[in-house]
Amino acid sequence: MLHIDIITVVPELLDSPFAHSIMKRAQEKGLLTVECHNLRKWAINKHMQVDDYQFGGGAGMVMMPEPLANAIDELQSSRKYDAIIYMTPDGPRFNQQTANQLSLSENLLIICGHYKGIDERIRQQYITQEISIGDYVLSGGELAAAVVVDAIGRLIPGVLNDETSALFDSFQDNLLAPPVYTRPADFRGSKVPEILTQGDPKLVAEWRYEQSIQRTKERRPDLMED
Ligand code: ADE
């Protein structure tokens, strides 16, 4: 059972990603709960202000420390978080290993940045882990948070059934997944590899493993280096 709190200035962006498919099922089964909190609830004034100009000048607003600190303090008073995560393009890059580790948590708190980011003092005093989902800049951390929650959520034991088991995903053993086929066995003259239609599970497993290795060598040799 994993509970994830997300602090955001645009909670609407997170309405859909967890409301369908596997994330929906994980929540219905009681294995995952995701709660989005609008940072404006902790705004410093009646203008609902949560950001301000940056000291030293320059374009772009910065998310103020008080609303974030008050939000985190309040949430922390009822839960002990395994990690307080800040989504930011300058964090370490997210991968399957980080997803595996985080999926073992009980409580996670994710902070989504906007504008120029959050005041550095919040990063120093509250954030225990920073995550980037790739070397590009999104307009906010919400879509990145959705990616991370999805990757973690599907790894919680019981969320996937045997057939969709995460054990055979790409990256789980530093290998890409093998090619997959479904009906028809002959699609416009292009045939499914015979081994897959002959029904010998051992040969199928060997073929898939070889295909995985070949794919990884061709497409992602960097994965095989470690
Ligand atoms: N916020 C903006 N860009 C991001 C990225 N690449 N990863 C995580 N959070 C972000």
Side-chain angles (χ1 to χ4, degrees), residues 3-7 68-69 71-77 79-88 92 102 105 107-112 118 121-131 148:
H3 178 82
I4 303 179
D5 285 306
I6 304 178
I7 297 176
L68 281 168
I72 299 170
D73 286 344
E74 188 177 322
L75 293 171
Q76 259 184 324
S77 69
R79 280 178 207 279
K80 180 155 176 20
Y81 292 105
D82 299 283
I84 301 179
I85 299 167
Y86 174 46
M87 302 309 306
T88 173
L102 289 173
S105 311
N107 292 291
L108 294 174
L109 175 55
I110 302 181
I111 318 286
C112 302
I118 65 174
R121 290 163 292 185
I122 293 295
R123 291 173 80 159
Q124 288 165 351
Q125 293 174 28
Y126 284 93
I127 302 299
T128 65
Q129 184 169 355
E130 300 189 329
I131 296 180
V148 167

Side-chain angles (χ1 to χ4, degrees), residues 161-165 168:
N161 52 34
D162 280 352
E163 281 151 52
T164 49
S165 166
F168 302 108

